Amino acid sequence: MESVVFKYGSSRAAKARIGRALKGTWHRLLFVGSILLVLVGLGLLIIGVAAGWIFFGLAAVPYMIHQWYVNGLAELPIAKKPRTIDDMLAGDILGQLSKEPSPREIATAVSSVFSGQFFGARFGISARFLQEISSEKATDTPALWKEALAIRELVGQEQISGGILLVALVRTFPGYEGLLAHLQIDSDDLVQGIRWQQHIRDLVNQHAKPRRTGGIARDWSFGYIPLLTRFGQNISEQIMQGGLLSSELEAHKQALDQMISTFGDAGRQNAVLVGPAGVGKTTIVHAFAERLLDAESSLPDSLKFRQVFILDSSALISAAPGRGELETIIMQVLGEAYSAKNIIICLDNAQLFFEEGIGSVDLTNVLLPILEAGRLRIILTMDEQRYLQIGQRNAALINALNRISIKQATEAETLAVMQDQLIVIEYQRKVTYTHQALKEAYRLSERYIHDLAMPGRAIKLLESAAGCASDGLVTALSVQKAIEQTMDIKVGVASGTDEREKLLNLEQLIHERMINQTRAVGVVSDALRRARAGVRNQNRPIGTFLFLGPTGVGKTELAKALADVYFGGEDRLIRLDLNEYVRSEDVARLIADGANDPSSLTARAMKQPFSVVLLDEIEKAHPNVLTTLLQLLDEGILRDIKNREVSFRDTIVIATSNAGADRIREYIERGYQIEQFEPQFIDELISSTQFRPEFLNRFDEIVTFRPLTKDELVQVIDLILAGMNKTLALQKIRVNVSQEAKLFLVDKGYDPRLGARPMRRVVQRAVENTVAKQMLSGTVAPGSTIEISLEQVQLILGTQQQANQIVADNQPTPPSIPESSVKQ
Amino acid sequence: MFIVGILSWWYGPGWRQRVARLGERLNASMDYFSIDLLVRTFFAPFRQISAGKVRGPLGVQMRAFLDRIISRIIGAMIRFIVIIIGSITICFHGILGMTLLVVWAIIPLMPVIGIILFATGWIPWSL
């Protein structure tokens, strides 16, 4: 049982202090000194002075101290039977401590060593942070030692490293969870950090160990392979030169064992690795090649030191322009591999060899007999879809293969792979990644990157985040920026002043182009604010709303206004007219593959995940279409026809419906306010079986739009006129319509059935015609304002009958015609 | 403490490290020359020239047989040379390593030896 006693006077503590004193330039000076003494001694002896022996002999002293430091003190091993703290404390920290160290003193020591600095760089736990949370009282130190021992046991390390002490320092601070939350980490992340550090140390040690790879005569009993060398890539040779820096994932380990068992047994000597792109199939082939080269791994003799060649399909195709030549070359290459007896062929992306296309060729007829015979060792890799397609075309081929499925990596495994990859990425890109960046890369790539599986997708994002590093540090924010840039979305919490202002004044901004409908504008704005403050449910869309009400009251316009004001333009609106989805078969069109149908909902959401999705006239959709949309509304996910998950979690989903419009009008005419009749109205809608309750329940809010009043319609005219003035600004002309004329336009343009929709046409006809005539007659000069009076409007619109005609022209309202409150 | 510490390390863990390194070096040499493999495959055709079964008329089979014999002879000669070179190298590494181990043991005595030699006034090249 270890005790929390710290013995300053122990021999290990004394050695640690000596080691600390020799650290840096001192031990190098000693080495140089010993060489100088030898040279002086030798020089004196050459000129015949016997005193040279003294220098010669004395050279041993600095040399011995140097050797002691380099091989003994620099990495002070823990005591054989550790009992006290000083027996197991890392030497670089132990050497710095006084007789009765306080937690603060320990914090200072931890901050000065590599393991402490590791946490500074990776987790943002700076030296100052540690100082501030550490007690100055030496009486608090035993509690710290106790915590350190508990963590040491938890992580299964022998030594109490700087990392363990750092985590212990944090954990002994009351309320540390809150502090860590500021850094977007928790206590478990810190424990992971200790393991990460240990893993790096293990990898470096493993890499530094001499490799036993069979020696000079290894391949002498096997055949020459000139063709293979030309058309293939010898990954075994690459591994011999560089080696792999990788951790063995559980999913990969199983696949490796299966491969060894397949190739070690007497059955068909082939394996097909099936899994989505990015899951690590090629990495497994590399790991397999590495294991075959390791003299110390337990393998059947028939597999030891076998070499893995990846065939290069493009090199093969380019070398065989003539008909039938490719088959000849392939047969020669495979024949060579078979004769050589130590070759395992790998067809990476094997579909390239089984289907016709650019850079691919169908060699099924050549390869099938070889695979069926099962004598030449072949590894194939392909994704699930291709495997099924090939199987559909040629069942015999699939029957000849030993399938090994590769599962996606879990979060912990993905983090481990990312940590391994960082060693190379950080070296190449000259950046440092924080732990928070890794976790964010996992989270965001899982949500937004659909064409790759884990861990490939997280690594892809991690690499692209290097370009967004600030001061060489890649943080969670850098990862967010990277995904925002590549996917054109907003994922972080609103931080810029402009965006905050915009969010706080969203209602006002929307009302610059929308009249009234305050409740609808309010609920939508609230949803966006929740999203950008980071307090929304991340596993649903930003908001899901059902807008009910008569036509021409601003339902669609609100969606457009939102897209324009917040999402960056009206092109951010994914609009679907559900009256085009009235048949059951239309479900397929809704979730079609983007490659075949770019206008499908899933394809558009994949291209533009940060947008407003407008499902217009939802009551007209087929029930199966509505059932398909349930998952979208509930979880923010829709699976496309290829079963790929498409995220709608960064969209606002707005469904509109005219259902019950007459009823709304009736309530309003009877003098009710919306708040008074809305619950009853929704009950009526459910009873009328137009919508199923489970469908309506999926929406965050059901908002009823009321018909616009006359005063509001005048405001709509103001908006339309503002739009016209914006257009006329190019001609330096303004239009001003008198109040009486506006009221006249409201009278002529409003239709209770169509709402404010026909108003635009009436206003355009009245105002634009007047302006056009005046401009052509030369009575208007640039910089002037055209005043339009009631008389002029009456003259243009003429009788009520003519006005009605204009309104009537607008009757067969196509869904694409903008509503009347649109500002151009 | 300092002197005790350094001496106990020198003749304890320090020496063991030297022995381990010598072992590693010898292992690396043995792996590189893979003498056991060379012995096991001593008469195997070199780089599989003309290896494998050949079907055909007797003349062709005879030629293949002769090719194989030549390939085996070439292989045996090369392997023999490498076994000799490898054995010498491994022995050299072993002897050098053992010498260094002895030198390692003498180094702490060097100051005393130096003083004694100075006292005797002996200089190797002035007889």
Side-chain angles (χ1 to χ4, degrees):
Chain A
M1 179 71 189
E2 295 92 2
S3 127
V4 291
V5 174
F6 172 71
K7 289 183 185 168
Y8 176 79
S10 71
S11 67
R12 190 168 178 273
K15 282 179 196 167
R17 287 192 288 275
I18 295 169
R20 178 164 169 73
L22 292 172
K23 198 179 162 190
T25 50
W26 276 110
H27 74 92
R28 290 192 192 95
L29 280 176
L30 285 168
F31 184 67
V32 173
S34 66
I35 290 170
L36 283 176
L37 284 170
V38 167
L39 291 175
V40 171
L42 209 60
L44 289 173
L45 288 173
I46 287 169
I47 59 170
V49 180
W53 289 117
I54 294 182
F55 286 92
F56 216 76
L58 285 177
V61 178
Y63 177 73
M64 282 172 68
I65 299 171
H66 170 261
Q67 284 294 309
W68 189 28
Y69 174 78
V70 172
N71 299 307
L73 300 177
E75 292 280 336
L76 198 62
I78 65 161
K80 277 180 189 164
K81 289 180 184 169
R83 291 182 192 284
T84 52
I85 292 295
D86 50 279
D87 281 343
M88 51 193 124
L89 199 58
D92 49 2
I93 294 169
L94 182 61
Q96 295 187 54
L97 300 185
S98 64
K99 274 185 183 169
E100 287 182 356
S102 67
R104 185 162 292 182
E105 187 188 331
I106 295 167
T108 308
V110 167
S111 308
S112 71
V113 300
F114 170 74
S115 48
Q117 286 157 1
F118 175 87
F119 278 84
R122 303 289 184 190
F123 292 85
I125 298 182
S126 62
R128 199 173 153 196
F129 176 91
L130 272 186
Q131 291 282 325
E132 279 174 11
I133 62 166
S134 310
S135 155
E136 279 181 294
K137 294 178 196 161
T139 48
D140 292 334
T141 307
L144 175 68
W145 295 138
K146 200 175 167 187
E147 185 66 34
L149 286 173
I151 298 167
R152 169 182 169 263
E153 202 163 313
L154 177 75
V155 296
Q157 282 184 16
E158 291 187 326
Q159 194 184 55
I160 298 179
S161 63
I164 291 177
L165 276 179
L166 182 138
V167 180
L169 278 163
V170 172
R171 280 195 182 182
T172 45
F173 180 75
Y176 69 91
E177 291 285 8
L179 275 179
L180 293 181
H182 281 291
L183 298 169
Q184 294 171 317
I185 48 173
D186 57 29
S187 178
D188 289 343
D189 288 317
L190 292 181
V191 172
Q192 259 184 38
I194 300 171
R195 293 200 172 108
W196 180 7
Q197 204 180 23
Q198 183 59 40
H199 177 64
I200 292 174
R201 204 172 293 147
D202 290 345
L203 277 181
V204 171
N205 290 341
Q206 186 189 321
H207 214 61
K209 267 171 61 180
R211 301 168 70 84
R212 308 268 178 270
T213 53
I216 191 172
R218 190 189 65 194
D219 302 329
W220 286 359
S221 304
F222 304 109
Y224 273 127
I225 42 168
L227 271 178
L228 259 177
T229 315
R230 187 177 157 202
F231 296 115
Q233 192 190 343
N234 187 346
I235 56 173
S236 303
E237 200 173 276
Q238 290 169 2
I239 291 163
M240 266 189 288
Q241 283 163 5
L244 289 177
L245 273 177
S246 62
S247 53
E248 209 168 67
L249 307 182
E250 197 50 41
H252 290 190
K253 195 173 167 290
Q254 283 171 7
L256 272 178
D257 290 344
Q258 262 180 285
M259 285 169 84
I260 287 166
S261 143
T262 304
F263 289 117
D265 293 344
R268 276 183 184 149
Q269 297 291 299
N270 66 57
V272 54
L273 304 181
V274 181
V279 81
K281 299 185 292 294
T282 314
T283 310
I284 292 174
V285 177
H286 279 79
F288 177 66
E290 190 186 33
R291 198 187 273 192
L292 299 190
L293 283 181
D294 186 1
E296 283 156 21
S297 66
S298 57
L299 286 169
D301 278 348
S302 62
L303 276 181
K304 252 187 183 168
F305 308 130
R306 299 303 182 258
Q307 293 182 29
V308 181
F309 270 78
I310 294 184
L311 278 195
D312 184 350
S313 65
S314 51
L316 282 163
I317 293 167
S318 60
R323 196 175 172 81
E325 281 182 40
L326 185 61
E327 283 80 355
T328 313
I329 292 181
I330 281 281
M331 287 307 287
Q332 284 172 348
V333 168
L334 298 182
E336 192 176 275
Y338 181 69
S339 302
K341 291 187 165 47
N342 66 335
I343 304 296
I344 298 175
I345 295 284
C346 174
L347 305 180
D348 203 12
N349 293 319
Q351 68 273 7
L352 295 174
F353 297 88
F354 294 104
E355 61 187 23
E356 289 291 348
I358 300 164
S360 67
V361 65
D362 190 357
L363 293 170
T364 312
N365 293 337
V366 177
L367 292 172
L368 182 59
I370 295 168
L371 290 167
E372 280 182 328
R375 283 153 69 188
L376 175 65
R377 287 171 166 158
I378 302 186
I379 303 168
L380 299 100
T381 71
M382 64 178 92
D383 67 46
E384 183 80 37
Q385 194 64 25
R386 302 295 184 127
Y387 183 77
L388 293 174
Q389 282 170 1
I390 291 168
Q392 204 176 26
R393 282 203 306 271
N394 196 334
L397 184 63
I398 297 299
N399 289 335
L401 296 170
N402 297 309
R403 178 185 167 142
I404 297 171
S405 297
I406 313 296
K407 290 180 201 149
Q408 283 213 47
T410 61
E411 182 175 0
E413 286 176 339
T414 305
L415 283 174
V417 172
M418 285 197 276
Q419 287 168 0
D420 289 345
Q421 295 289 320
L422 284 192
I423 297 169
V424 178
I425 300 173
E426 288 185 343
Y427 174 74
Q428 288 172 342
R429 309 292 293 263
K430 308 272 180 284
V431 289
T432 303
Y433 287 82
T434 63
H435 175 76
Q436 291 90 326
L438 266 60
K439 282 180 73 175
E440 194 69 352
Y442 179 85
R443 187 179 75 83
L444 295 178
S445 64
E446 191 181 35
R447 173 170 290 193
Y448 298 108
I449 300 175
H450 305 282
D451 50 352
L452 282 176
M454 287 292 179
R457 59 165 83 150
I459 292 167
K460 185 182 172 186
L461 177 55
L462 209 58
E463 279 178 337
S464 59
C468 300
S470 70
D471 298 328
L473 196 67
V474 180
T475 60
L477 197 65
S478 316
V479 178
Q480 287 169 4
K481 274 188 199 165
I483 198 110
E484 283 179 358
Q485 282 172 12
T486 50
M487 307 288 292
D488 200 14
I489 48 173
K490 290 182 183 177
V491 293
V493 174
S495 51
T497 319
D498 284 356
E499 196 189 350
R500 282 186 190 174
E501 283 295 313
K502 197 183 257 188
L503 280 165
L504 290 171
N505 302 311
L506 206 55
E507 285 93 335
Q508 202 182 325
L509 291 168
I510 292 174
H511 274 132
E512 280 177 15
R513 48 178 293 174
M514 276 273 310
I515 300 300
N516 209 323
Q517 310 300 4
T518 325
R519 179 154 176 261
V521 174
V523 293
V524 171
S525 304
D526 284 343
L528 254 183
R529 275 192 288 263
R530 282 197 300 272
R532 299 295 290 137
V535 293
R536 71 162 172 123
N537 182 348
Q538 297 285 328
N539 297 322
R540 300 196 69 233
I542 294 172
T544 54
F545 306 102
L546 173 61
F547 291 169
L548 297 169
T551 188
V553 292
K555 300 191 295 295
T556 308
E557 181 54 24
L558 176 51
K560 282 184 186 175
L562 197 63
D564 186 31
V565 169
Y566 191 75
F567 287 78
E570 280 193 22
D571 58 338
R572 288 288 191 173
L573 185 74
I574 299 176
R575 182 171 177 167
L576 231 69
D577 290 315
L578 290 179
N579 57 14
E580 294 171 13
Y581 293 82
V582 293
R583 295 170 307 147
S584 175
E585 306 86 80
D586 291 333
V587 173
R589 216 152 43 82
L590 193 72
I591 57 168
D593 180 14
N596 304 325
D597 182 2
S599 63
S600 75
L601 178 59
T602 45
R604 289 163 76 186
M606 261 176 147
K607 277 184 245 164
Q608 220 172 60
F610 185 65
S611 53
V612 178
V613 175
L614 176 64
L615 307 170
D616 239 351
E617 299 192 75
I618 198 154
E619 77 282 4
K620 291 180 183 162
H622 189 275
N624 287 358
V625 172
L626 295 184
T627 309
T628 309
L629 292 172
L630 282 183
Q631 199 192 4
L632 186 162
L633 296 171
D634 217 19
E635 295 171 27
I637 291 287
L638 199 58
R639 286 183 183 279
D640 74 357
I641 210 143
K642 282 189 164 177
N643 207 31
R644 283 176 302 195
E645 268 188 10
V646 180
S647 171
F648 286 79
R649 288 171 177 172
D650 291 280
T651 63
I652 281 192
V653 183
I654 294 174
T656 71
S657 172
N658 296 335
D662 293 338
R663 196 82 183 106
I664 295 172
R665 209 174 292 119
E666 200 182 309
Y667 274 117
I668 297 284
E669 278 165 10
R670 278 157 59 191
Y672 288 104
Q673 292 296 311
I674 282 186
E675 295 77 18
Q676 291 171 305
F677 68 81
E678 198 173 43
Q680 195 186 335
F681 170 68
I682 291 166
D683 286 344
E684 285 172 22
L685 265 187
I686 296 170
S687 318
S688 69
T689 68
Q690 290 203 59
F691 294 109
R692 286 182 301 168
E694 67 266 29
F695 183 70
L696 291 182
N697 277 341
R698 294 300 204 281
F699 289 100
D700 293 339
E701 297 267 358
I702 298 172
V703 187
T704 312
F705 282 56
R706 61 173 180 73
L708 297 171
T709 62
K710 261 196 175 174
D711 282 350
E712 287 163 355
L713 289 167
V714 172
Q715 290 176 49
V716 171
I717 289 182
D718 286 339
L719 285 182
I720 297 171
L721 288 173
M724 286 181 176
N725 275 328
K726 207 171 166 185
T727 314
L728 290 170
L730 289 171
Q731 330 268 348
K732 309 280 181 215
I733 290 168
R734 273 190 61 77
V735 177
N736 196 14
V737 178
S738 70
Q739 190 63 20
E740 299 78 31
K742 285 178 191 170
L743 289 171
F744 181 76
L745 287 168
V746 167
D747 277 343
K748 302 291 177 191
Y750 181 67
D751 182 307
R753 289 159 303 144
L754 298 171
R757 205 180 283 271
M759 192 100 80
R760 169 177 297 282
R761 200 162 201 170
V762 171
V763 174
Q764 276 178 339
R765 188 75 63 93
V767 177
E768 283 177 2
N769 285 356
T770 311
V771 173
K773 277 180 188 170
Q774 292 198 13
M775 281 175 75
L776 289 171
S777 63
T779 53
V780 187
S784 60
T785 301
I786 301 171
E787 296 289 345
I788 296 179
S789 63
L790 175 64
E791 292 73 29
Q792 282 170 309
V793 174
Q794 280 172 334
L795 201 67
I796 295 281
L797 291 179
T799 60
Q800 179 67 44
Q801 201 183 353
Q802 277 174 299
N804 287 345
Q805 186 55 47
I806 296 167
V807 172
D809 287 348
N810 209 43
Q811 280 272 22
T813 321
S816 58
I817 291 174
E819 292 185 7
S820 61
S821 50
V822 175
K823 184 171 79 174
Q824 264 188 333
Chain B
M1 168 60 213
F2 186 87
I3 293 170
V4 174
I6 195 168
L7 287 177
S8 57
W9 177 81
W10 197 264
Y11 291 110
W15 206 350
R16 282 199 293 277
Q17 273 179 18
R18 292 280 136 185
V19 175
R21 275 184 207 173
L22 173 62
E24 273 172 24
R25 203 168 298 135
L26 286 174
N27 269 336
S29 297
M30 273 148 70
D31 178 66
Y32 182 75
F33 289 103
S34 49
I35 290 173
D36 55 336
L37 184 71
L38 288 169
V39 172
R40 270 191 281 131
T41 58
F42 196 79
F43 290 110
F46 186 71
R47 300 295 328 212
Q48 291 278 312
I49 300 167
S50 310
K53 284 179 185 169
V54 176
R55 288 185 188 139
L58 191 65
V60 174
Q61 286 197 31
M62 279 301 290
R63 198 179 308 140
F65 176 74
L66 277 174
D67 282 353
R68 244 187 339 262
I69 291 287
I70 293 168
S71 170
R72 284 176 197 278
I73 292 168
I74 293 171
M77 283 164 61
I78 293 172
R79 287 184 183 100
F80 178 73
I81 294 166
V82 174
I83 288 171
I84 297 297
I85 295 172
S87 304
I88 292 169
T89 311
I90 291 166
C91 287
F92 174 74
H93 274 304
I95 293 165
L96 185 72
M98 294 300 282
T99 312
L100 286 176
L101 279 180
V102 174
V103 171
W104 182 265
I106 294 170
I107 284 176
L109 305 173
M110 284 297 285
V112 180
I113 294 169
I115 291 167
I116 292 169
L117 288 173
F118 166 65
T120 58
W122 179 67
I123 291 170
W125 37 84
S126 63
L127 297 170

